[in-house]
Amino acid sequence: MATFMEKIPLPKSIDELKVLVVDNQGLIHDLVNSALTDLGVKKVSSAQNAYHAVRLCQDDVFDVVLLAFNVSNDKDGFHLFEELKHHQYISDKTTVIFLSAETNMELVNCIIELQPDDFWVKPLARQRIQHRFRYLVDIRRKLNKLMHSMDNGDYAAAIYHAERGLRDSSVVEYHPRLKRMIGDCLIQLRDYISAEKYFSDLKAEYDHAWVHIGLAKSLFRQDKIEEAELLIEDLLQRNDTKFLTYDLLAQYYIGKEQFDVAYEQVKAASKLAPRNIERNKKLWDLARLNRDKYGQLEAVQNMAKYAKNSIHDSPDLTLNVVRTMVDLAASVSGQESEKLQRSLQKELDELSRQATTSQALSNQLVVVKTRLCCLQQQKREAEKLLKEQLDTSVNMNLEDNLDLMKAYHELGMKEDCLSILDKLRSQLAGDTLASQVVDEYLKREEIERREIKFTTKELKDMAAVNYRENRMLPAYNNLCQAMTLSPHDKSIALSLLKVLVQLNKKDPLSDAQYEVASNASRLLHSGKLIDAQRQKRDEYLTALGINEVQLSAMP
């Protein structure tokens, strides 16, 4: 921790700075080099691709990095920034400037997430380069003590230095930045009452996004929901605050275990800035917790897509796509399931080629192939695969064990399934980084795997047979379990109404059955249906005596 009396290293003078320019355009290198040399910078290094940039950073430590968003065909500036930061070639002491000719909101949001020191829009002008560079160097020099305290997590000392800076007329142009740092420090110190008052007072002076977000954050941390929601309504209308607000809302609702609401917020944030791998991971976790299998697939596909050629890239991402395709194929029927199976077979073939050099991947693929055999009603072959090819001595992570649990469940091997569940619980307990969302997901998985013996697809098939044989109550029970596993499946909802109509002909529906009918009706009114489905829905609702007025009045 830094203290007020600690000796703080002096900032470098402009002629001591080492600058790295990463851009695939030679003219940019010439312009920046010339402009900075005239300012007194003596060392400007150039890299025209990501590989060269990493090599230079391995050999030297740079004080300033100018990084183009479009670096090369195989790796963009977003991925390169993450890689340089991961290897600690870029630290809090490095001044990072992003360069881009594009200014669309998706790109800007992605860059904002990286929190560079500045963002320069191409084409660059010589005088602009010199002005902004001198400004950034001055910030580092004049706010050196403050930044040192922030870097070391000594937020009380940072507030002290920031308040001293506010009394210094020579740094008046940096006062907004100083005030933002004070607000950030109050949040970090968890002094939310002071933070609320501080940001509220600043609103009269500034209309900046950080002021409003800081105020909203301090209100949420105090559970002042009504006041926060009034502010949020306005923030979601502003381009400069919309993205940050969705993230803030998601974090709040996760903390309150309102995972369905949090899911909608993360989806909205991901659309505005789709490249963030951690957010897509959170989106995947929330999608599977909310049983949105299409949402799960979209999230893992985005993870694989945007991680390409980054430090996050690995066969595990493609493996998760395949696993999620199996999950979805096990919940749908007919042509849709067959189409998914064909697609995942192609992905499996590619992964199988990579598995020749990885025992862990080879083992993981045994489980996926077992589940695919179960889908294709080849359960003997599936059992044989697990028995003969699964290497139980290979270390398996949480996702591996989760997939193995599903394989045992689909084979009807209940004891093995429950044994894996126990292992998953202990794995999660020992993982300090495991999220609240994953913990809740496993709790629900455990309940459902203990109580429900079949997959969604199997339950739908069983319900169809029971309906044909005029066994309405078993068909109803099958569909209720299927709905638990796939609560967004409109075909199940329609089948439930169809069965309930037949049950209602014999005896009036119970309160529980009427609630199931109401929930199915709401789902069928919440999205698009083809004409035949809409006609059937209305026919069944009329037969059950449920109209739209009653539906809207239900909680």
Side-chain angles (χ1 to χ4, degrees):
M1 285 286 226
T3 65
F4 297 151
M5 301 304 294
E6 181 184 345
K7 185 174 177 61
I8 297 172
L10 292 173
K12 292 182 179 179
S13 61
I14 201 162
D15 62 318
E16 295 175 307
L17 295 175
K18 293 180 180 178
V19 179
L20 173 63
V21 183
V22 188
D23 197 295
N24 59 2
Q25 296 177 323
L27 288 174
I28 294 294
H29 290 282
D30 294 341
L31 178 60
V32 172
N33 197 332
S34 172
L36 297 187
T37 300
D38 284 353
L39 279 181
V41 180
K42 292 184 177 179
K43 183 167 183 182
V44 181
S45 300
S46 295
Q48 293 198 338
N49 57 54
Y51 174 77
H52 189 198
V54 173
R55 288 292 302 273
L56 288 172
C57 288
Q58 288 170 345
D59 297 333
D60 212 342
V61 177
F62 293 96
D63 305 292
V64 184
V65 176
L66 284 78
L67 181 57
F69 197 82
N70 295 317
V71 181
S72 58
N73 293 331
D74 64 332
K75 195 184 297 268
D76 62 26
F78 189 98
H79 290 146
L80 179 57
F81 178 88
E82 285 191 314
E83 185 172 345
L84 295 178
K85 204 163 186 180
H86 175 75
H87 293 298
Q88 298 182 327
Y89 299 141
I90 284 177
S91 70
D92 292 333
K93 294 178 175 61
T94 313
T95 298
V96 179
I97 303 161
F98 257 93
L99 313 175
S100 179
E102 298 178 49
T103 56
N104 63 73
M105 282 309 299
E106 181 184 305
L107 174 72
V108 171
N109 285 331
C110 289
I111 290 175
I112 287 172
E113 281 208 278
L114 300 176
Q115 296 185 319
D117 294 85
D118 212 355
F119 176 33
W120 296 356
V121 179
K122 297 179 182 179
L124 303 179
R126 184 186 184 83
Q127 287 186 329
R128 174 74 173 166
I129 292 170
Q130 292 178 332
H131 171 72
R132 292 303 299 173
F133 189 87
R134 194 182 288 114
Y135 171 83
L136 293 168
V137 170
D138 282 349
I139 285 179
R140 288 282 175 182
R141 181 172 58 82
K142 292 183 178 180
L143 306 183
N144 184 46
K145 292 179 180 178
L146 168 58
M147 289 185 167
H148 184 81
S149 299
M150 291 285 285
D151 292 345
N152 286 278
D154 191 346
Y155 302 112
I159 291 174
Y160 168 80
H161 289 303
E163 288 177 340
R164 286 192 64 183
L166 290 174
R167 294 193 292 271
D168 184 352
S169 59
S170 71
V171 294
V172 66
E173 62 185 306
Y174 309 126
H175 283 188
R177 187 183 178 107
L178 293 172
K179 291 175 181 179
R180 179 175 184 172
M181 287 180 167
I182 291 172
D184 290 342
C185 287
L186 289 171
I187 295 287
Q188 290 291 341
L189 290 167
R190 300 184 181 182
D191 187 355
Y192 303 127
I193 295 174
S194 298
E196 179 192 348
K197 184 178 185 311
Y198 181 77
F199 285 117
S200 293
D201 292 342
L202 277 182
K203 277 181 68 179
E205 187 178 358
Y206 300 112
D207 189 36
H208 298 324
W210 60 267
V211 177
H212 298 285
I213 294 296
L215 177 56
K217 192 178 293 185
S218 61
L219 289 170
F220 274 124
R221 299 289 169 83
Q222 298 174 79
D223 278 332
K224 293 187 174 181
I225 308 307
E226 291 183 6
E227 294 173 54
E229 284 180 344
L230 287 173
L231 182 61
I232 290 299
E233 286 181 18
D234 293 331
L235 299 187
L236 289 176
Q237 302 303 314
R238 293 175 49 152
N239 284 332
D240 62 338
T241 55
K242 183 187 295 185
F243 162 66
L244 297 169
T245 302
Y246 282 129
D247 257 0
L248 182 61
L249 284 168
Q251 203 54 49
Y252 173 76
Y253 286 118
I254 287 172
K256 294 298 177 184
E257 298 187 359
Q258 293 178 254
F259 300 112
D260 54 339
V261 185
Y263 179 41
E264 295 304 317
Q265 309 306 322
V266 176
K267 275 200 289 188
S270 294
K271 286 179 181 176
L272 293 172
R275 291 173 174 270
N276 187 297
I277 300 300
E278 285 305 312
R279 184 180 296 105
N280 277 311
K281 174 66 168 67
K282 187 185 292 183
L283 186 63
W284 178 35
D285 288 336
L286 283 166
R288 56 185 178 179
L289 176 58
N290 285 282
R291 297 293 185 258
D292 181 0
K293 290 184 171 59
Y294 292 98
Q296 290 176 51
L297 183 57
E298 184 178 2
V300 292
Q301 285 175 332
N302 279 339
M303 285 168 67
K305 173 184 174 182
Y306 290 115
K308 198 73 175 170
N309 299 314
S310 78
I311 56 170
H312 305 286
D313 199 0
S314 81
D316 283 348
L317 292 174
T318 306
L319 182 65
N320 286 335
V321 172
V322 170
R323 287 168 168 168
T324 308
M325 290 171 81
V326 175
D327 289 343
L328 180 55
S331 69
V332 296
S333 303
Q335 291 183 347
E336 187 175 7
S337 181
E338 291 170 8
K339 183 180 177 182
L340 279 164
Q341 290 176 49
R342 287 194 296 272
S343 297
L344 72 86
Q345 186 62 62
K346 290 179 183 177
E347 298 282 5
L348 268 177
D349 291 342
E350 176 58 33
L351 281 172
S352 295
R353 284 191 283 273
Q354 298 178 45
T356 55
T357 57
S358 169
Q359 181 58 42
L361 181 57
S362 179
N363 215 44
Q364 291 159 340
L365 290 181
V366 169
V367 179
V368 176
K369 290 172 182 176
T370 298
R371 297 189 63 204
L372 183 56
C373 285
C374 289
L375 262 177
Q376 297 168 343
Q377 301 300 315
Q378 299 171 2
K379 295 204 172 182
R380 285 187 180 178
E381 181 65 27
E383 287 183 29
K384 186 179 177 184
L385 265 173
L386 275 189
K387 184 178 179 180
E388 296 179 1
Q389 296 189 30
L390 184 67
D391 186 348
T392 54
S393 68
V394 174
N395 186 44
M396 298 180 74
N397 63 30
L398 189 141
E399 290 295 339
D400 298 338
N401 277 322
L402 184 58
D403 210 39
L404 181 57
M405 178 206 70
K406 292 174 183 175
Y408 283 138
H409 181 262
E410 288 156 7
L411 281 168
M413 301 167 69
K414 186 175 180 180
E415 293 304 316
D416 294 286
C417 176
L418 296 182
S419 173
I420 292 290
L421 267 172
D422 291 337
K423 187 179 289 188
L424 284 164
R425 298 302 312 162
S426 63
Q427 271 187 305
L428 191 63
D431 183 359
T432 55
L433 298 175
S435 73
Q436 188 179 359
V437 177
V438 177
D439 183 44
E440 184 64 25
Y441 170 64
L442 281 183
K443 286 177 185 174
R444 295 191 189 181
E445 278 287 315
E446 185 167 6
I447 292 168
E448 290 171 7
R449 300 295 167 177
R450 289 184 188 277
E451 295 179 358
I452 302 173
K453 298 179 180 179
F454 305 99
T455 66
T456 305
K457 184 174 181 295
E458 287 171 333
L459 288 164
K460 286 161 75 173
D461 291 343
M462 290 161 65
V465 172
N466 282 324
Y467 185 87
R468 283 198 301 271
E469 299 296 327
N470 202 31
R471 296 190 291 266
M472 295 303 156
L473 196 55
Y476 170 75
N477 291 331
N478 294 149
L479 291 168
C480 283
Q481 288 190 332
M483 203 70 188
T484 299
L485 296 176
S486 301
H488 306 286
D489 191 319
K490 290 183 171 58
S491 68
I492 299 174
L494 206 58
S495 296
L496 265 171
L497 290 180
K498 179 180 177 181
V499 170
L500 284 166
V501 168
Q502 297 304 316
L503 286 172
N504 192 47
K505 288 178 180 178
K506 296 179 180 179
D507 294 295
L509 297 184
S510 66
D511 289 343
Q513 289 172 331
Y514 191 78
E515 185 179 353
V516 169
S518 302
N519 290 336
S521 302
R522 273 195 290 271
L523 176 61
L524 292 167
H525 278 88
S526 65
K528 292 181 178 179
L529 300 175
I530 61 174
D531 290 341
Q533 288 176 318
R534 196 180 304 109
Q535 185 179 340
K536 286 291 183 184
R537 176 200 66 192
D538 294 343
E539 177 188 322
Y540 298 148
L541 291 179
T542 301
L544 291 169
I546 299 176
N547 57 48
E548 290 195 28
V549 175
Q550 291 173 305
L551 207 59
S552 60
M554 292 174 188

